[in-house]
């Protein structure tokens, strides 16, 4: 079930929020009495509901806004149940004071700072109280926490909702049913989150036979989930692709095992570390999981060469010596280009403007989310080609400078879709549909 959390301050907004939630695909809404300017409006609001409701009046000591008397809070919840609320959320720490009053009990536990060491014991006590649903909402600071929450959801053994709050926990919110969850919380629309990491119902997959992910640090810029999920939908495949922030690549095998990933796209800055881990000589941007074994591939190099067109005999300057750069240099050399490298690591960075190259490739992350170019504007000449691997934004300063000087440009999306299509084939054995690729290129 998808529960959209509303944070309305007045009843009219809550009623409008219910309609918006229904249209967005919610099965029920969470009405938060502690957000209402007049919490006493809660029972009347429940009586006028147009979707099943889960009521909560979250106290400040559990991360909510209610600062009034505890007895009054319990009375309010009981009145909301008497008005017909289908579900009532009562904090594990307040359970002893509460009479169920007809509604189904969601017994909840929240931690907005992290995951307490004692969580397993708390969960055992919550299960023993036999509520309708055990809700555990903790904060995932990274991939290790996500793994812990997914494992808890998979093994908890009672109807439950394990929520890993924060960006690191989004995969569990999105694929909650895949890992055994009964309920997930969503926001009505982006920007209206009531807890960190919520996504709108349209982004919730629930189930999927096959799960894939992009891992990196940062990873929020990645457009791979949009492209892969559009391709899975077009093929009617029960598969879903999520984003997982991964601070330490050594955690990758655990992430793969816990989330039962079939394939992984590896992005900045882990391509070289992952190559070491899986025993690959080339940087790895694609991991295929075969019978639990991680198999490394690289689709960046061939995709870059394909995006550039014929490069045999051409003089190419590659900026950078990270994962993408090394893969591109290897592929360019195999395709017969004459390659020079300018990078901080190689000690050749300062001389990058003094080049006779016909093609300059930005394979650094400079320009990703910023308006900077790694190449001096005055070094561009007409007839040169500028190729940027950075694709967020699509039209980078590097490309604009080149165009202004009369150079030809190839943007990062041209490489992105090609490396993704090759990954898709490695992951699934199927071709990424051409119209999905075209729509993505045009978007
Ligand atoms: P990476 O392994 O972390 O390498 C980043 C490279 O950028 C390193 O060589 C680094 O130099 C250099 N760099 C960063 N900041 C710099 C600065 N201020 N001045 C000079 N050099 C700087 O990352 P990656 O995986 O290769 O990815 C690089 C970029 O390519 C990212 O933006 C990524 O999104 C993009 N990418 C795009 C595609 C696509 O399909 N379009 C595919 C792959 C990657 P040092 O080694 O000296 O730190």
């Amino acid at each position: 079930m998808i529960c959209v959390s509303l944070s309305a301050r007045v009843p009219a907004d809550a009623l409008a929020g219910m309609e918006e939630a229904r249209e967005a695909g919610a099965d029920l809404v969470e009405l938060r009495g502690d957000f209402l300017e007049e919490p006493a409006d809660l029972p009347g609001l429940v009586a006028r509901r147009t979707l099943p409701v889960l009521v909560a009046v979250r106290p400040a000591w559990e991360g909510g806004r209610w600062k009034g008397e505890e007895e009054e809070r319990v009375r309010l919840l009981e009145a909301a149940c008497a008005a017909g609320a289908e579900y009532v959320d009562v904090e594990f720490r307040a359970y002893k004071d509460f009479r169920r009053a007809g509604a189904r009990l969601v017994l909840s536990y929240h931690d907005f700072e992290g995951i307490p060491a004692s969580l397993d014991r708390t969960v055992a006590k919550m299960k023993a109280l036999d509520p309708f649903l055990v809700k555990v909402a903790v904060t995932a600071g990274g991939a290790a926490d996500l793994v812990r929450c997914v494992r808890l959801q998979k093994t908890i053994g009672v109807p439950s909702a394990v929520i890993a709050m924060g960006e690191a926990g989004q995969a569990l919110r999105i694929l909650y049913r895949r890992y055994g969850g009964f309920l997930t919380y969503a926001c009505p629309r982006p920007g209206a989150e009531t807890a960190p990491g919520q996504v709108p119902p349209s982004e919730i997959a629930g189930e999927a036979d096959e799960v894939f992910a992009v891992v990196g640090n940062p990873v929020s810029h990645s457009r791979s989930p949009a492209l892969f999920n559009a391709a899975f939908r077009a093929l009617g495949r029960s598969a879903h692709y999520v984003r997982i922030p991964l601070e330490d690549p050594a955690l990758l095998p655990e992430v793969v095992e816990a989330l039962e990933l079939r394939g992984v796209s590896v992005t900045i800055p882990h391509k070289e570390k992952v190559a070491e881990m899986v025993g690959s000589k080339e940087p790895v941007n694609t991991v295929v999981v075969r019978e639990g074994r991680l198999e490394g591939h690289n689709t960046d190099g061939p995709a870059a060469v394909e995006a550039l067109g014929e490069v045999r005999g051409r003089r190419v300057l590659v900026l950078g010596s990270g994962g993408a750069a090394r893969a591109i240099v290897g592929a360019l050399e195999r395709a017969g280009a004459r390659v020079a490298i300018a990078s901080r690591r190689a000690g050749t960075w300062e001389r990058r403007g003094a080049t006779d190259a016909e093609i300059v490739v930005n394979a650094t992350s400079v320009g990703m989310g910023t308006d900077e170019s790694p190449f001096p504007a005055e070094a561009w000449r007409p007839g040169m080609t500028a190729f940027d691997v950075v694709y967020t934004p699509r039209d980078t300063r590097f490309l604009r400078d080149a165009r202004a000087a009369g150079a030809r440009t190839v943007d990062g999306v041209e490489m992105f879709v090609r490396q993704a299509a090759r990954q898709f084939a490695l992951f699934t054995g199927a071709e990424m549909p051409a119209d999905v690729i075209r729509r993505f290129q045009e978007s």
Side-chain angles (χ1 to χ4, degrees), residues 118-431:
S118 58
L119 185 64
D120 290 345
R121 260 180 290 136
T122 305
V123 169
K125 288 184 200 160
M126 292 170 79
K127 280 162 64 174
L129 293 169
D130 195 27
F132 175 74
L133 189 85
V134 170
K135 174 190 177 189
V136 175
V138 291
T139 301
D145 289 347
L146 170 66
V147 165
R148 195 167 161 205
C149 291
V150 170
R151 286 188 179 143
L152 174 62
Q153 182 63 86
K154 282 163 76 172
T155 56
I156 194 164
V158 292
S160 53
V162 178
I163 315 291
M165 293 188 283
E167 191 199 357
Q170 251 176 12
L172 179 53
R173 287 185 185 275
I174 292 171
L175 286 161
Y176 71 107
R177 266 215 310 265
R178 173 70 167 78
Y179 303 119
F182 181 81
L183 180 97
T184 194
Y185 290 81
C187 53
R189 75 199 95 83
E193 298 82 6
T194 58
Q198 279 177 355
V199 296
S202 58
E203 285 184 35
I204 289 173
E207 313 252 18
D209 291 341
E210 302 169 299
V211 182
F212 302 91
V214 53
V215 300
N217 185 21
V219 76
S220 54
H221 69 281
S222 175
R223 293 182 64 199
S224 295
L227 179 60
F228 278 84
N229 288 326
F232 292 140
R233 269 195 305 278
L235 293 177
R237 211 172 165 111
S238 172
H240 200 77
Y241 186 106
V242 288
R243 204 181 255 124
I244 301 178
L246 183 72
E247 62 287 6
D248 178 1
L251 291 170
L252 183 63
E254 269 194 80
V255 171
V256 165
E257 187 264 326
L259 281 93
E260 300 167 42
L261 301 180
R262 292 280 180 91
V264 182
S265 308
V266 180
T267 187
I268 181 173
H270 298 324
K271 292 177 185 179
E272 292 169 292
K273 282 272 164 48
V274 172
E276 281 170 33
M277 286 166 58
V278 302
S280 164
K281 288 201 187 73
E282 265 209 311
V284 163
N285 79 326
T286 311
V287 171
V288 179
V289 184
R290 283 196 216 285
E291 285 155 19
R293 216 175 54 82
L294 308 190
E295 190 184 278
H297 299 265
N298 189 293
T299 66
D300 281 339
V305 171
E306 203 179 292
L308 270 173
E310 184 54 71
V311 292
R312 182 164 302 279
R314 309 279 300 274
R315 293 183 304 276
V316 185
L317 175 67
V318 175
L319 305 176
S321 49
R326 280 186 45 212
I328 292 171
V329 167
L332 284 168
E333 284 176 343
R334 283 193 293 278
R338 289 145 66 193
V339 183
I341 296 163
S343 80
R344 297 189 299 199
R345 265 186 257 177
T348 50
W349 186 245
E350 298 311 324
R351 296 197 297 279
R352 65 196 182 284
T355 179
D356 64 351
E358 298 155 85
I359 300 170
V360 181
V361 180
N362 174 30
T364 73
S365 46
V366 178
M368 190 171 97
T370 65
D371 193 33
E372 295 166 278
S373 169
F375 194 67
E378 59 281 5
W380 291 112
R381 293 180 311 275
M384 286 172 86
T385 295
F387 171 35
D388 204 340
V389 300
V390 171
Y391 66 97
T392 49
R394 186 168 187 169
D395 200 27
T396 55
R397 164 72 71 92
F398 177 79
L399 295 178
R400 289 202 312 277
D401 286 351
R403 209 181 302 122
R408 183 176 83 97
T409 60
V410 179
D411 70 38
V413 171
E414 294 305 318
M415 170 177 167
F416 175 77
V417 292
R418 288 175 171 86
Q419 62 79 30
R422 285 166 182 266
Q423 278 187 342
F424 193 85
L426 285 165
F427 286 162
T428 64
E431 271 195 35

